[in-house]
Amino acid sequence: MTSTDLSIPKTAKAAILNGLGEKYIIRDDYPVKQASELLPGECLVKIEYSGICHSDLHVKQGDWQKKPILPLIGGHEAVGRVVAIGEHSDAGTVKIGDRVGLKWLAGVCMKCEMCRKGNEPCCPLSKAHGFTVHGTFAQYVVSWVNYVTPIPDNLDSAAAAPFLCAGVTVYNGLKQSRAKIGDWVAISGAGGGLGHLAVQYAVAMGLRVLAIDTGAAKKELCAKLGAEKWVDFKESTDLAADVRAATDGLGPHVALIAVGDARPFNQALLYLRAAGTLVAIGMPGGNGLLNVPVTLLIGKSLTVLGSAVGNRQDAVEALQIAAQGKVKCQYQVRELKELNEIFDEMDTGRIAGRMLFKF
């Protein structure tokens, strides 16, 4: 099945990672899978915008315990249009020409216990864009018709792309925290790509936000987005005490950690309010550990919750809220040829908001 008005080239632009720790190679002649080559259930998506996530940096550096496939086309949050669907596919409502989103999760089995219970990120047969299958740093990407996400008509493609990873991740983390209207939530990494979206989702949910990050630009951004309080982790000499002081002297009800460093996770257990919840969504590299006395967990009745991206419904909800104008991503549009430069900026903490490529 091919589109009558969208031709599919034999080759196109893509960024290839050949070895862990190496730079991406930008190619203009990477082979494009043709419509006749698509398997049942597969679709070919022509990418309009792709985001760059801190997880992409971890994948590139190979500093997670599990390693990606190589060579690899990275990237896992993008918006594009379906230009072909494999023969004999059960495509459901997806059709050629549809504008869809591609996420970290490329597909799941939909049959196991995890999938039946809505815990799709835990599916043992899941596929991950830019990790176990090729991702979105390419003009044409193969995905799966039963897992691409429809994009609301009133949401611009560039504005929508970051919600396919950063948006759904923080939205689902806040949902799972079970925080109630008026509760305090401390967001570590509040001025970053995930964090600045978390601030807005939290405000939209009626939560009170304490932003934790560093620098005047991020402080200004967080205040603009609705954070009531701010703690600069570089300026603070006692982070736990400063966080507690800013949240009624008792600490926040929820700590959402949206950074790739293990230290804020451990700090959160010290400043959380009794019966509080630590929501871990950032992915530290290496062997980042949570070091906490068991007596502290028991004595404060703390909950430690890991939240990995979200399921299909979470993605739809996250986009719907964005389409209503309640959450907006701060982003810059760059060119694919700048990919390695962007990773350098990301590695040194020089990026606020989100970075996108336009194809």
Side-chain angles (χ1 to χ4, degrees), residues 56 67 121 149 196-197 222 259-260 276 298 324 345:
D56 294 316
K67 308 303 179 187
T149 300
H196 86 287
L197 296 177
C222 291
V259 297
I298 297 171
Q324 293 166 13
E345 295 171 9

Side-chain angles (χ1 to χ4, degrees), residues 2 17 34-35 78 141 150 162 177 182 210 216 222 237 262-263 270-272 289 304 307 337 346:
T2 57
L17 180 70
Q34 298 297 296
V141 179
S177 77
L210 164 66
C222 291
T237 58
R263 288 170 292 182
L270 300 177
Y271 63 63
L272 271 168
L289 297 175
V304 178
S307 179
K337 66 182 181 181
M346 187 176 287

Side-chain angles (χ1 to χ4, degrees), residues 46-112:
K46 184 179 181 183
I47 301 299
E48 298 176 6
Y49 289 91
S50 174
I52 309 136
C53 180
H54 207 278
S55 294
D56 294 316
L57 176 62
H58 286 305
V59 171
K60 173 181 177 291
Q61 293 173 331
D63 56 11
W64 287 344
Q65 291 183 343
K66 185 176 180 179
K67 308 303 179 187
I69 62 167
L70 292 172
L72 173 74
I73 298 174
H76 58 268
E77 58 175 28
V79 174
R81 292 192 180 272
V82 177
V83 295
I85 297 174
E87 293 286 353
H88 309 298
S89 294
D90 181 7
T93 59
V94 178
K95 61 186 183 299
I96 290 171
D98 281 358
R99 195 166 57 118
V100 298
L102 277 62
K103 309 175 292 298
W104 169 260
L105 284 181
V108 298
C109 77
M110 300 190 186
K111 297 178 181 179
C112 70

Side-chain angles (χ1 to χ4, degrees), residues 256-276:
L256 185 84
I257 313 300
V259 297
D261 186 305
R263 288 170 292 182
F265 293 83
N266 291 286
Q267 292 167 340
L269 295 171
L270 300 177
Y271 63 63
L272 271 168
R273 186 176 300 224

Side-chain angles (χ1 to χ4, degrees), residues 138-342:
Q139 286 179 296
Y140 289 85
V141 179
V142 174
S143 194
W144 283 263
V145 289
N146 61 2
Y147 219 80
V148 293
T149 300
I151 303 300
D153 291 339
N154 62 333
L155 193 58
D156 175 79
S157 292
F163 291 96
L164 278 307
C165 177
V168 65
T169 297
V170 298
Y171 171 69
N172 186 44
L174 287 167
K175 271 179 61 176
Q176 292 202 48
S177 77
R178 299 184 179 179
K180 298 178 176 61
I181 292 176
D183 283 355
W184 278 104
V185 56
I187 299 173
S188 189
L194 275 74
H196 86 287
L197 296 177
V199 171
Q200 296 174 77
Y201 277 116
V203 170
M205 293 174 175
L207 306 177
R208 304 181 70 185
V209 176
L210 164 66
I212 304 173
D213 214 315
T214 188
K218 291 184 176 182
K219 179 180 181 180
E220 181 180 354
L221 173 62
C222 291
K224 174 184 172 184
L225 297 177
E228 294 182 41
K229 299 291 181 70
W230 165 265
V231 173
D232 190 310
F233 69 84
K234 286 189 176 179
E235 295 180 358
S236 175
T237 58
D238 188 337
L239 185 82
D242 289 343
V243 171
R244 287 194 298 268
T247 51
D248 305 330
L250 299 173
H253 302 82
V254 173
L256 185 84
I257 313 300
V259 297
D261 186 305
R263 288 170 292 182
F265 293 83
N266 291 286
Q267 292 167 340
L269 295 171
L270 300 177
Y271 63 63
L272 271 168
R273 186 176 300 224
T277 299
L278 167 63
V279 182
I281 60 172
M283 289 281 284
N287 295 310
L289 297 175
L290 195 62
N291 298 305
V292 53
V294 175
T295 52
L296 177 66
L297 283 176
I298 297 171
K300 292 180 69 176
S301 297
L302 298 177
T303 297
V304 178
L305 175 71
S307 179
V309 287
N311 60 29
R312 287 166 292 162
Q313 181 62 24
D314 295 324
V316 170
E317 292 173 5
L319 285 166
Q320 287 175 339
I321 294 169
Q324 293 166 13
K326 296 178 180 178
V327 181
K328 297 179 180 179
C329 184
Q330 306 289 315
Y331 63 86
Q332 299 178 42
V333 178
R334 307 276 288 269
E335 296 185 30
L336 186 62
K337 66 182 181 181
E338 300 177 83
L339 178 58
N340 291 306
E341 179 184 338
I342 292 169

